[in-house]
Structure formats: structure tokens, C-alpha cells
Amino acid sequence: MTTYKELQAQIEQLRKQAEELRQAEIADVITEIKTKMQEYGITGADLGLMGKKRVMKTSPSMADEAPAMTPDAEAPAGSDM
């Protein structure tokens, strides 16, 4: 019978594997997108990507590692909340 500790180790290993595969797939997708953009003469401006600050979304595993926002950090400066 598998123990809880062994299952937790397997889960962690699978998470690492999944993240490695995700990163490899992202690289492939970016290459494919760049190829198609060059092939069809599409620019970032055509896609509405210019003039806006780029926001990188995180994967669920990365979100767990991000520091939590405290209510004080979210309040605008000078507010008396």
C-alpha cells in the first residue's frame, strides 16, 4: 500500500514534470506564432499589442509561490481605511 508521504512525493514530481512540459509547449507556441506573423506580415500593432503594458499571466503553480497582498498594500496611498 502506498503511503501518504509517497503520494505527496509523486504529486510534487508530477507538478515539476507538468511545468517542464508547459514551458516547452509555450516555447513551441511562441515559435509558431512568430512564424505565422512573419508569413502573413502581422505586427504587434495589428493584434492590438502596442502601447499597453504587457502583463504576464502566471500558471497555477507560480501563483502559489507569489507573495500574498495585504490589505494595507492594496489601499491607495493617503487613504484612511
Side-chain angles (χ1 to χ4, degrees):
M1 177 179 228
T2 305
T3 67
Y4 175 77
K5 191 173 184 176
E6 290 170 335
L7 284 176
Q8 289 299 316
Q10 288 176 7
I11 290 169
E12 186 58 32
Q13 182 60 35
L14 287 171
R15 283 186 179 143
K16 287 179 183 179
Q17 253 186 297
E19 185 59 25
E20 289 171 6
L21 285 172
R22 180 182 171 277
Q23 292 299 323
E25 288 179 10
I26 287 172
D28 291 344
V29 169
I30 289 171
T31 299
E32 183 179 344
I33 290 169
K34 286 180 178 181
T35 300
K36 295 288 184 183
M37 287 178 72
Q38 187 174 24
E39 181 179 340
Y40 290 96
I42 297 170
T43 66
D46 294 333
L47 300 175
L49 301 176
M50 308 311 278
K52 294 181 182 178
K53 185 176 179 181
R54 183 175 177 207
V55 177
M56 185 91 167
K57 292 185 179 181
T58 61
S59 70
S61 64
M62 292 175 70
D64 293 341
E65 298 170 7
M69 293 286 289
T70 61
D72 294 338
E74 294 175 6
S79 68
D80 295 328
M81 292 183 92

